[in-house]
Amino acid sequence: MQHAGQDWDAIRAQKVVGLAAMAILGSRCGAVVEDGAAVFFFTPCGTAAGWSVDHTEAVRAGDDVAIPPARRTQGPGPHWRMCPGEGRMLTDPQALRAALEDAFGPRVGEERAG
């Protein structure tokens, strides 16, 4: 376990939505840990303080996030869905917000509630 708020903040999303956001982000996606029905995106410190995106949760400073061994890319248990790499640990919070909002948006043929 590592504590959020020291080197990074973490954003927790439901697995299905998180995977859709990863696809939307493409090469802009940083490291992602999958743990059960959730995925965790890592963002710069300070992101959690102002985070407000439906169906996601900011992991507050001092809260623990399970960080798997570097080469664990399959479960059971926490594993890397997107491994950290050189300069690829953090995801830009604005890009992540947009990707998550798009992932929650209406599907083809649906209209947004207004």
Side-chain angles (χ1 to χ4, degrees):
M1 296 277 188
Q2 289 187 6
H3 299 300
Q6 294 175 345
D7 296 321
W8 39 259
D9 282 352
I11 304 299
R12 179 184 183 277
Q14 297 169 359
K15 181 179 171 182
V16 171
V17 174
L19 297 180
M22 285 178 66
I24 292 167
L25 286 164
S27 64
R28 298 175 299 154
C29 188
V32 177
V33 168
E34 181 179 330
D35 191 359
V39 295
F40 294 84
F41 293 88
F42 301 92
T43 59
C45 287
T47 302
W51 189 260
S52 177
V53 175
D54 288 345
H55 307 288
T56 66
E57 175 185 6
V59 179
R60 302 291 174 205
D63 288 348
D64 290 332
V65 176
I67 302 297
R71 300 200 189 280
R72 179 177 285 163
T73 58
Q74 295 182 345
H79 59 280
W80 293 106
R81 192 65 186 213
M82 176 73 72
C83 293
E86 196 63 36
R88 194 168 83 181
M89 180 67 181
L90 304 180
T91 299
D92 176 78
Q94 288 80 19
L96 178 58
R97 179 184 308 277
L100 289 166
E101 288 173 349
D102 285 351
F104 276 114
R107 304 295 179 237
V108 174
E110 294 180 356
E111 292 183 24
R112 284 193 188 267

